[in-house]
C-alpha cells in the first residue's frame, strides 16, 4: 500500500475538510462562551451547530444553503414543542411518536430532506435530556438558533472563499472511484480468478462510481455560474467530468470472454502483461483524482507509456508465435483489448492535461447545452407524501418502524428511570435505516464501536493527565469521527464514543463511571429495539427486486436502441449520453438491491441464485452495448446496413417482453426470433477467407482489416441477442410465468463475458 498516496487522498478529500469544518463549527461556540463563564449556553449553541451541520450534505451551494436554513427553522420548532411537552410523560411520548413518523417521512423526497428530518429528530432527543422549563425553553431555542446561524455563516463563508473546492473534492473522489473499479476489473486477468466474487465486487464498485457521478453531476449542472461559466476553473471542471464519464464507459466495455481467454492463454505469459498495464492506469487515475481534489495539476508519469510500449512489443511477438487458423478469433478479440487499453491510456493522458486548466484547450472543448435532462427532479410535491402513506411504501414502513422504536425507547427509559435515557433514542435514531441489511450492519457496528471506543477513551484519560491535553485529544477524535462518518461507520462510532467520554469527563469527572455504564447499557437497549422493529414492520428486498429488474431492463432497452440505431440509419437519435447514464444508474440500483438482499435472512432470499444471474446478465449486456457505442464512433458509418435490423428488433422485443413479465403485465406476443443467420454467415465467410490467407502467408490484406473491424461489431450484436433470450428465461423462472422441471442454466460464457 502506498501510504503517502492514501494520506494525500484522505487529507484532500471532502470528508476530511467537512470534518474540520464541523468540528470548528461545533466546538468554537462552547470554547468562546466558556471563556466568558457561559459554558452551558455555549453547549446549547454547539448543539444547534451540530444539528444544522447534519443537513449540510454535499450538493449545489443553493441547495446546501436552503437545506441548512430549513433545518434551522425545524430545530427551533422541535425544541419549543419538545421542551414544553416533557412536563408530562404521556404528552412527551405522543410528541416523540408524531415527530418520529412525520420527520421520517421526509426521506421520501431525497437525501437532503432526509438529513433535515434527522436534524429535527436529533434536537428532539437532546432536548429530552436537557429538560428546561418555562421561559428557559424559549431561551434554549434562541441559543440553538444562534449556534445554527453561526454554522451556516461559517459554511457559506468557506464556500465564498473557495467556491470550487467542494466540487473539486467530489470530482476527484469520483475519479478515484473509477480507479478502484478498474483495479477490480484487472483481477479478471489473474490466473485462477474467482469469477463470482470478482463480479460481485465489480458491481459494488460500479454502484459507488454511479453514486459519486450523480453527486458531481448535480453539483455541476445545478450551479448556473459553472454551467454558464466563462472562467477557466469552472469550465475546466465540466470538461474533466465529461471526460471521466466517457472513460468510465470505456472501462465498462466488453471485448472478450475471460473464461475462454484463461483456458486458451493461461501459462502463455501474456495475461499478466495486460494486468500490469491496467494497474499502471489505476495508479495514473489515483494521481489525477487526488490532484483534482487538491486543486493542482497532476504529475504525469512516463512509465505508463513505457509499459504500454512493452506490452505492444510482447503482444506482437506473442501473435507471431501463436497465429494459426484455430487461434484466429481469439487473437482478433485480444487485439481489441489491446486497442481499448491504448484508447483508455490516451484518455488518461488527456485528463492529465486538463488538470492544468489550459485556457486554449478548455475553451475549444465542445460541451452540450442539454444539462437539465441529466438532473433528478427535486420538487417537494405534497402529493408524493400522500401517495406514500401506504404499507407498500418503503419510506412509510421506515417511518412506522422509527416512530415505534423511538416511542418504545422512551417508555423503556422512563420505566427503568435511566439517567442518560436520551442515549437509547439516539442509538435507535442512528441505527434504524430503511433497509434491513443496513440496520443489521449498523447495529453490529454501533455496539462493537461503543465497546472499543469506551476502552480507548478510558485509556486516553489515563495516558493524558492535563486538561489541555485531553481537550486537544477530544478535538482530534471529533475530526476523526466526522471524517469517517459517511464512509466507515464502525471507525466513526469508535472515535465518537471516545470523544464523548472525554467530553463528559471534562464536564463532570465525578460521575464519569456512571456515564460509561449507562452509555453501554443504553446502546444495547437501543440496538435491540431497532433490530426488533425491523421484524415487526419488515421491508424485505424480495418485494421490490422485480420492480428494479424491470426498470433496469427498460433503461437497458433504451440504451441499446439508441446505440444500435447508428448502425442502420443516419438520422440523429435521442441523447446517447442520457440513455447511457440512465442505464448505468438503473443497473447500479438493481445491484444495490441485490447486495442488500444477500444480507437478509435466508428465508427471505427467494430465487437468489437466479436473481444473481439476472443482475450479472444486465451488467454484461450493458457492457456489450458500451462496446457497440465505442465501435459506432469509428465504424458505424462504414458498415451501416439494414442487415442489422432483424437482430436489433428481435433484441428489443425480447427485452420488452421480459420487462413486461417482471411488471406483471400480460405478455401476449411471443418473442419474434427473426433471422440473424446472415450476420453469422458474413462472419463465417470472412473467417474462412482469412484462414486461407494465413495458410498462404498473406499477413496484411483487405480481408484482415474488414475482419478486425466488422467481426467484433457483429459479435456484440449476437452476444446481446443471446443474453436477452437468457434474461427472458430467467424472468420466467423468477415470476413463475412458465414452470420448469429443473433450474435452467444460463451459459457460463454469457455470465463471464464482461471485459
Amino acid at each position: 500500500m502506498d501510504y503517502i498516496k492514501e494520506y494525500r487522498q484522505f487529507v484532500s478529500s471532502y470528508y476530511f475538510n467537512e470534518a474540520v469544518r464541523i468540528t470548528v463549527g461545533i466546538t468554537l461556540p462552547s470554547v468562546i462562551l466558556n471563556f466568558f463563564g457561559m459554558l452551558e449556553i455555549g453547549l446549547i449553541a454547539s448543539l444547534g451547530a451540530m444539528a444544522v451541520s447534519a443537513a449540510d450534505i454535499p450538493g449545489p451551494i443553493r441547495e446546501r444553503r436552503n437545506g441548512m436554513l430549513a433545518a434551522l427553522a425545524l430545530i427551533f420548532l422541535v425544541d419549543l414543542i419538545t421542551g414544553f411537552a416533557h412536563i408530562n410523560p404521556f404528552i412527551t411520548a405522543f410528541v416523540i411518536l408524531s415527530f418520529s413518523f412525520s420527520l421520517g417521512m421526509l426521506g421520501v423526497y431525497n437525501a437532503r430532506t432526509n438529513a433535515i428530518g434527522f436534524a429535527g429528530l436529533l434536537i428532539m432527543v437532546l432536548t429530552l435530556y436537557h429538560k428546561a422549563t418555562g421561559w428557559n425553553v424559549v431561551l434554549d431555542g434562541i441559543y440553538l438558533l444562534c449556534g445554527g446561524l453561526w454554522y451556516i455563516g461559517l459554511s457559506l463563508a468557506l464556500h465564498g472563499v473557495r467556491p470550487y473546492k467542494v466540487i473539486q473534492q467530489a470530482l476527484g473522489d469520483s475519479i478515484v472511484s473509477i480507479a478502484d473499479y478498474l483495479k477490480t476489473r484487472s483481477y479478471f486477468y489473474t490466473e485462477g480468478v474467482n469469477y463470482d466474487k470478482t463480479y460481485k465486487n465489480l458491481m459494488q464498485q460500479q454502484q459507488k462510481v454511479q453514486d459519486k457521478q450523480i453527486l458531481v453531476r448535480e453539483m455541476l449542472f445545478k450551479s448556473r455560474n459553472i454551467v454558464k461559466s466563462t472562467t477557466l476553473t469552472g469550465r475546466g471542471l465540466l470538461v474533466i467530468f465529461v471526460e471521466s464519464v466517457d472513460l468510465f464507459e470505456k472501462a465498462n466495455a466488453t471485448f472478450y470472454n475471460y473464461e475462454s481467454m484463461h483456458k486458451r492463454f493461461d501459462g502463455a505469459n501474456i495475461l499478466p502483461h495486460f494486468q500490469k498495464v491496467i494497474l499502471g492506469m489505476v495508479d495514473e487515475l489515483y494521481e489525477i483524482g487526488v490532484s483534482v481534489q487538491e486543486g493542482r495539476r497532476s504529475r504525469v508519469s512516463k512509465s505508463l507509456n513505457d509499459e504500454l510500449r512493452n506490452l505492444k512489443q510482447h503482444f506482437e511477438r506473442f501473435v507471431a508465435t501463436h497465429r494459426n487458423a484455430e487461434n484466429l478469433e481469439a487473437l482478433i478479440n485480444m487485439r481489441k483489448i489491446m486497442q481499448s487499453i491504448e484508447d483508455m491510456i490516451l484518455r488518461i493522458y488527456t485528463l492529465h492535461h486538463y488538470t492544468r486548466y489550459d485556457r486554449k484547450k478548455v475553451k475549444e472543448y465542445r460541451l452540450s447545452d442539454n444539462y437539465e435532462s441529466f438532473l433528478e427532479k427535486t420538487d417537494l410535491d405534497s402529493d408524493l407524501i400522500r401517495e406514500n402513506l401506504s404499507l407498500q411504501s418503503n419510506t412509510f414502513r421506515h417511518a412506522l418502524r422509527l416512530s415505534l422504536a423511538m416511542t418504545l425507547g422512551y417508555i423503556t427509559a422512563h420505566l427503568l428511570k435511566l439517567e442518560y435515557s436520551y442515549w437509547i433514542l439516539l442509538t435507535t435514531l442512528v441505527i434504524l435505516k430503511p433497509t434491513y441489511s443496513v440496520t443489521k450492519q449498523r447495529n453490529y457496528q454501533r455496539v462493537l464501536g461503543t465497546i472499543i471506543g469506551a476502552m480507548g477513551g478510558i485509556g486516553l484519560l489515563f495516558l493524558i493527565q492535563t486538561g489541555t491535553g485531553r481537550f486537544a485529544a477530544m478535538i482530534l477524535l471529533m475530526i476523526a469521527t466526522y471524517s469517517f462518518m459517511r464512509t466507515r461507520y464502525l471507525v466513526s462510532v469508535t472515535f465518537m464514543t471516545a470523544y464523548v467520554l472525554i467530553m463528559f469527563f471534562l464536564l463532570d469527572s465525578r460521575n464519569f463511571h456512571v456515564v460509561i455504564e449507562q452509555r453501554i447499557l443504553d446502546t444495547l437497549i437501543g440496538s435491540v429495539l431497532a433490530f426488533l422493529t425491523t421484524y415487526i414492520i419488515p421491508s424485505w428486498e424480495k418485494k421490490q427486486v422485480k420492480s428494479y429488474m424491470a426498470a433496469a431492463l427498460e433503461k437497458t432497452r433504451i440504451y441499446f436502441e439508441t446505440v444500435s440505431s447508428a448502425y442502420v440509419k443516419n438520422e440523429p437519435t435521442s441523447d446517447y449520453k442520457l440513455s447511457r447514464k440512465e442505464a448505468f444508474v438503473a443497473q447500479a440500483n438493481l445491484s444495490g438491491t441485490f447486495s442488500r438482499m444477500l444480507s437478509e435472512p435466508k428465508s427471505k432470499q427467494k430465487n437468489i441464485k437466479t436473481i444473481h444471474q439476472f443482475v450479472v446478465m444486465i451488467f454484461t449486456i450493458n457492457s456489450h452495448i458500451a462496446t457497440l457505442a465505442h465501435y459506432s464512433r469509428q465504424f458505424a458509418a462504414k458498415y451501416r446496413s439494414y442487415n442489422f435490423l432483424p437482430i436489433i428488433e428481435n433484441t428489443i422485443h425480447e427485452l420488452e417482453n421480459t420487462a413486461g413479465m417482471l411488471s406483471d403485465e400480460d405478455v401476449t406476443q411471443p418473442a419474434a426470433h427473426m433471422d440473424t443467420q446472415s450476420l453469422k454467415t458474413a462472419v463465417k465467410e470472412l473467417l474462412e477467407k482469412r484462414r486461407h490467407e494465413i495458410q498462404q502467408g498473406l499477413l496484411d490484406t483487405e480481408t484482415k482489416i474488414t475482419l478486425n473491424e466488422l467481426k467484433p461489431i457483429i459479435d456484440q450484436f449476437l452476444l446481446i441477442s443471446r443474453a436477452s433470450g437468457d434474461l427472458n428465461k430467467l424472468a420466467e423462472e423468477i415470476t413463475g410465468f412458465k414452470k420448469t422441471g429443473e433450474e435452467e442454466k444460463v451459459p457460463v460464457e454469457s455470465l463471464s463475458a464482461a471485459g
Side-chain angles (χ1 to χ4, degrees):
M1 180 180 288
D2 188 340
Y3 291 105
I4 295 177
K5 180 182 68 178
E6 292 289 327
Y7 171 78
R8 282 180 57 209
Q9 183 182 339
F10 175 73
V11 172
S12 63
S13 70
Y14 172 82
Y15 307 108
F16 179 75
N17 283 259
E18 178 190 44
V20 174
R21 182 181 70 243
I22 291 174
T23 301
V24 172
I26 292 174
T27 57
L28 210 55
S30 294
V31 171
I32 293 174
L33 291 174
N34 181 52
F35 182 78
F36 294 101
M38 295 183 288
L39 178 59
E40 187 174 355
I41 295 174
L43 289 173
I44 297 172
S46 291
L47 293 179
M50 181 171 66
V52 171
S53 73
D56 188 18
I57 63 176
I61 188 58
R62 183 169 173 269
E63 292 188 4
R64 284 176 59 196
R65 183 191 63 232
N66 292 343
M68 287 188 288
L69 290 173
L72 184 66
L74 179 63
I75 65 174
F76 180 70
L77 179 65
V78 168
D79 179 70
L80 290 182
I81 294 174
T82 308
F84 285 117
H86 75 60
I87 56 173
N88 185 293
F90 294 102
I91 297 175
T92 303
F94 176 77
V95 167
I96 293 172
L97 182 71
S98 302
F99 274 141
S100 298
F101 178 78
S102 58
L103 298 182
M105 283 297 296
L106 289 179
V108 77
Y109 292 111
N110 52 51
R112 193 170 303 280
T113 56
N114 188 54
I116 293 168
F118 177 83
L121 291 172
L122 182 64
I123 288 300
M124 179 192 75
V125 171
L126 296 175
T127 301
L128 290 173
Y129 169 67
H130 189 62
K131 296 181 181 178
T133 57
W135 175 248
N136 287 330
V137 173
V138 179
L139 284 177
D140 285 354
I142 294 172
Y143 300 148
L144 285 173
L145 279 177
C146 292
L149 284 170
W150 144 251
Y151 179 83
I152 293 172
L154 174 67
S155 184
L156 296 180
L158 289 174
H159 177 268
V161 173
R162 301 186 299 175
Y164 296 111
K165 188 61 179 177
V166 176
I167 298 176
Q168 287 173 326
Q169 290 167 337
L171 176 56
D173 193 33
S174 76
I175 293 173
V176 169
S177 70
I178 294 173
D180 290 333
Y181 174 85
L182 200 58
K183 184 176 181 179
T184 304
R185 197 136 202 162
S186 73
Y187 298 151
F188 281 120
Y189 293 84
T190 304
E191 190 171 339
V193 58
N194 184 328
Y195 292 105
D196 286 341
K197 182 180 178 180
T198 305
Y199 269 114
K200 181 181 176 182
N201 293 336
L202 197 64
M203 288 185 287
Q204 289 174 347
Q205 289 293 343
Q206 188 185 45
Q207 186 180 9
K208 290 179 182 178
V209 175
Q210 290 298 336
D211 289 343
K212 291 174 180 181
Q213 287 186 346
I214 288 172
L215 172 62
V216 178
R217 193 178 284 114
E218 294 279 309
M219 295 172 76
L220 285 171
F221 295 171
K222 283 188 176 180
S223 301
R224 287 189 173 273
N225 60 324
I226 293 180
V227 172
K228 305 296 182 183
S229 178
T230 57
T231 65
L232 196 58
T233 304
R235 188 172 175 83
L237 291 172
L238 270 174
V239 170
I240 292 172
F241 175 66
V242 172
E243 283 290 318
S244 71
V245 172
D246 288 344
L247 177 67
F248 178 59
E249 182 198 39
K250 187 69 179 176
N252 267 285
T254 294
F255 293 93
Y256 202 24
N257 182 324
Y258 288 122
E259 192 165 354
S260 296
M261 188 168 65
H262 279 290
K263 285 180 180 177
R264 281 184 179 273
F265 300 121
D266 271 354
N269 196 31
I270 183 65
L271 299 184
H273 285 270
F274 278 94
Q275 186 179 47
K276 182 180 180 182
V277 174
I278 293 171
L279 291 175
M281 293 158 59
V282 169
D283 289 337
E284 293 299 306
L285 284 172
Y286 276 134
E287 169 62 24
I288 293 169
V290 174
S291 298
V292 171
Q293 285 184 173
E294 293 174 341
R296 63 165 184 82
R297 65 172 58 186
S298 57
R299 290 189 291 268
V300 182
S301 170
K302 294 181 180 180
S303 61
L304 183 58
N305 260 337
D306 294 337
E307 289 174 2
L308 176 62
R309 194 180 304 111
N310 292 335
L311 173 62
K312 290 169 73 173
Q313 293 172 356
H314 188 86
F315 179 71
E316 293 304 329
R317 290 195 298 268
F318 179 82
V319 170
T321 56
H322 289 75
R323 184 190 289 117
N324 55 54
E326 289 72 27
N327 275 345
L328 181 59
E329 282 190 75
L331 293 176
I332 289 173
N333 288 326
M334 188 170 280
R335 187 173 293 278
K336 287 299 174 184
I337 297 177
M338 169 69 71
Q339 292 169 353
S340 173
I341 288 175
E342 285 186 78
D343 183 61
M344 289 182 68
I345 289 175
L346 180 62
R347 290 174 181 271
I348 287 172
Y349 280 114
T350 301
L351 276 175
H352 269 301
H353 189 79
Y354 283 125
T355 63
R356 301 176 186 177
Y357 298 98
D358 182 277
R359 182 173 295 278
K360 183 179 178 182
K361 291 289 185 182
V362 169
K363 292 291 183 184
E364 288 175 352
Y365 196 96
R366 295 183 64 185
L367 290 164
S368 170
D369 293 326
N370 184 25
Y371 295 117
E372 292 187 1
S373 58
F374 285 85
L375 302 175
E376 303 294 331
K377 293 183 178 180
T378 55
D379 296 335
L380 303 181
D381 188 354
S382 59
D383 289 340
L384 192 58
I385 291 283
R386 288 195 292 271
E387 290 169 5
N388 278 270
L389 293 176
S390 162
L391 285 173
Q392 302 303 314
S393 167
N394 196 33
T395 304
F396 179 76
R397 285 175 171 269
H398 172 63
L400 282 180
R401 280 195 298 272
L402 185 62
S403 55
L404 176 62
M406 295 285 277
T407 307
L408 287 175
Y410 173 75
I411 293 171
T412 302
H414 185 74
L415 292 175
L416 296 178
K417 299 185 180 346
L418 298 176
E419 185 178 354
Y420 296 97
S421 59
Y422 77 99
W423 204 263
I424 296 177
L425 301 185
L426 193 59
T427 299
T428 303
L429 175 62
V430 172
I431 288 177
L432 203 54
K433 296 298 174 186
T435 60
Y436 170 88
S437 59
V438 179
T439 300
K440 176 184 174 183
Q441 184 184 47
R442 285 283 179 100
N443 217 324
Y444 162 76
Q445 291 176 340
R446 182 80 178 186
V447 174
L448 182 61
T450 298
I451 294 171
I452 297 173
M455 294 169 62
I458 294 170
L460 285 173
L461 287 171
F462 276 108
L463 288 173
I464 305 171
Q465 296 296 320
T466 64
T468 303
R470 287 166 176 166
F471 181 79
M474 185 188 76
I475 297 297
L476 292 175
L477 288 168
M478 284 184 72
I479 293 173
T481 296
Y482 291 111
S483 294
F484 295 104
M485 184 71 79
R486 303 186 197 277
T487 56
R488 299 181 183 179
Y489 184 71
L490 174 60
V491 177
S492 178
V493 169
T494 301
F495 286 128
M496 179 171 59
T497 302
Y499 100 66
V500 168
L501 287 181
I502 294 175
M503 181 180 70
F504 275 116
F505 185 87
L506 292 174
L507 292 174
D508 185 6
S509 60
R510 291 170 298 178
N511 296 320
F512 176 66
H513 67 285
V514 177
V515 173
I516 298 174
E517 294 169 0
Q518 289 292 320
R519 165 97 196 244
I520 294 175
L521 175 62
D522 294 346
T523 297
L524 291 172
I525 294 173
S527 296
V528 170
L529 288 173
F531 202 62
L532 284 177
T533 50
T534 60
Y535 281 95
I536 297 173
I537 310 173
S539 289
W540 306 119
E541 295 295 341
K542 70 175 183 179
K543 294 186 177 181
Q544 303 181 73
V545 69
K546 284 202 298 181
S547 64
Y548 281 102
M549 292 163 73
L553 273 173
E554 175 63 14
K555 298 303 181 183
T556 293
R557 180 190 65 77
I558 295 171
Y559 183 32
F560 174 72
E561 198 169 2
T562 304
V563 171
S564 62
S565 63
Y567 290 91
V568 293
K569 60 184 180 181
N570 277 311
E571 293 85 356
T573 61
S574 57
D575 197 311
Y576 153 69
K577 290 190 176 181
L578 178 61
S579 67
R580 175 186 67 185
K581 170 243 177 184
E582 291 183 341
F584 283 179
V585 169
Q587 173 188 306
N589 289 338
L590 173 59
S591 177
T593 301
F594 176 73
S595 296
R596 292 191 297 272
M597 196 174 180
L598 289 175
S599 297
E600 294 180 345
K602 295 291 184 183
S603 61
K604 308 301 178 184
Q605 297 180 8
K606 187 178 179 181
N607 294 319
I608 195 70
K609 290 183 178 179
T610 310
I611 292 171
H612 177 240
Q613 289 178 320
F614 191 99
V615 174
V616 173
M617 197 71 71
I618 285 285
F619 179 91
T620 303
I621 291 177
N622 283 335
S623 295
H624 288 308
I625 298 172
T627 311
L628 270 184
H630 167 69
Y631 291 145
S632 70
R633 300 185 191 104
Q634 298 172 280
F635 307 123
K638 183 177 180 179
Y639 295 106
R640 189 171 287 132
S641 169
Y642 281 103
N643 288 335
F644 289 113
L645 199 56
I647 197 168
I648 291 172
E649 292 181 347
N650 184 70
T651 301
I652 291 171
H653 192 91
E654 199 83 69
L655 292 172
E656 286 176 338
N657 271 6
T658 308
M661 198 187 307
L662 291 166
S663 301
D664 297 323
E665 297 175 3
D666 291 331
V667 182
T668 55
Q669 295 181 345
H673 294 287
M674 300 179 185
D675 181 35
T676 60
Q677 193 60 40
S678 59
L679 293 179
K680 297 177 182 177
T681 301
V683 172
K684 188 175 180 181
E685 289 175 353
L686 280 171
L687 282 169
E688 285 301 318
K689 188 176 180 181
R690 181 59 186 151
R691 287 190 180 107
H692 286 305
E693 290 178 350
I694 291 173
Q695 289 170 355
Q696 295 169 13
L698 301 174
L699 299 181
D700 296 315
T701 65
E702 189 64 31
T703 303
K704 176 185 176 182
I705 295 172
T706 303
L707 188 62
N708 283 335
E709 293 175 352
L710 182 58
K711 181 185 179 299
I713 295 173
I714 295 176
D715 283 348
Q716 300 307 312
F717 274 112
L718 293 172
L719 286 166
I720 293 169
S721 176
R722 183 173 63 180
S724 299
D726 292 336
L727 278 176
N728 198 274
K729 295 174 185 177
L730 291 171
E732 288 174 355
E733 191 173 330
I734 291 166
T735 60
F737 184 80
K738 182 180 77 173
K739 293 183 179 179
T740 56
E742 293 183 358
E743 182 175 310
E744 296 184 56
K745 303 294 183 183
V746 178
V748 174
E749 302 90 83
S750 57
L751 286 179
S752 58

